Amino acid sequence: MTFRRNLVTILFLFSLSFLSAVAGVISGKIETCAECSLARLPHLKAFIVGLGAEMYQNVEIEFIYGTAAVLTVFDDGVEVETIMLADYETRAELDALFKEKGFKLKTASEISEISNRKAEEEHQKILQQMRERREKANKSDEL
């Protein structure tokens, strides 16, 4: 009985390793315009620009003016599918799509680093806007 159980376990583990080797490395590239289509789809903008797509391993984002939001899925570098992201109406649907296609989440520490970087970028953006307003106000006072 023990020999049989060990044999079944070994075969199961072997089949899992075989399947993962056959599956290859899943990667993706999102191409979208930062303004056009994303302005009309706030949930998609939050997913792409905010902390959404960047939470997944091997996902690249490229902003191309005038381009609708498209995810191209690659398996070992070979394009296998192109998906219009505007067809997904909620953040939950987008997350489900990425999981269904085989994308893995980054580690908690990687996600934390991304979150901290985005918060710092937002902070710097606000400081820059404040400086610009102050300069504008100073110029109008001089007139």
Side-chain angles (χ1 to χ4, degrees):
M1 189 70 146
T2 304
F3 173 76
R4 188 177 202 172
R5 187 177 309 144
N6 288 342
L7 181 61
V8 168
T9 302
I10 290 169
L11 289 174
F12 176 73
L13 292 174
F14 176 76
S15 66
L16 282 180
S17 65
F18 176 75
L19 288 175
S20 66
V22 170
V25 176
I26 300 298
S27 61
K29 182 175 185 177
I30 297 173
E31 295 178 335
T32 186
C33 179
E35 303 290 325
C36 311
S37 61
L38 293 184
R40 295 184 305 275
L41 302 165
H43 70 284
L44 185 55
K45 182 175 184 175
F47 184 78
I48 292 173
V49 178
L51 190 61
E54 279 193 89
M55 289 181 14
Y56 293 94
Q57 297 175 9
N58 304 318
V59 175
E60 176 187 338
I61 302 169
E62 184 175 353
F63 294 100
I64 303 171
Y65 182 78
T67 304
V70 174
L71 168 66
T72 305
V73 181
F74 300 91
D75 187 351
D76 277 337
V78 177
E79 183 178 325
V80 293
E81 189 173 5
T82 301
I83 302 164
M84 297 297 296
L85 294 178
D87 294 341
Y88 296 83
E89 298 179 359
T90 65
R91 167 67 188 260
E93 288 179 3
L94 290 163
D95 281 320
L97 167 69
F98 274 68
K99 290 175 185 167
E100 173 191 319
K101 297 302 173 188
F103 291 98
K104 306 286 186 221
L105 286 173
K106 292 179 178 176
T107 65
S109 64
E110 289 172 318
I111 292 171
S112 177
E113 285 177 29
I114 294 167
S115 178
N116 291 339
R117 178 179 48 82
K118 286 193 173 284
E120 180 60 28
E121 288 171 358
E122 185 64 26
H123 177 73
Q124 292 301 321
K125 182 179 173 182
I126 290 169
L127 289 176
Q128 181 62 30
Q129 290 171 344
M130 289 172 62
R131 281 191 288 272
E132 289 170 0
R133 286 186 195 131
R134 192 174 323 121
E135 289 172 10
K136 189 176 180 179
N138 288 341
K139 285 181 183 177
S140 65
D141 287 346
E142 290 173 2
L143 298 176

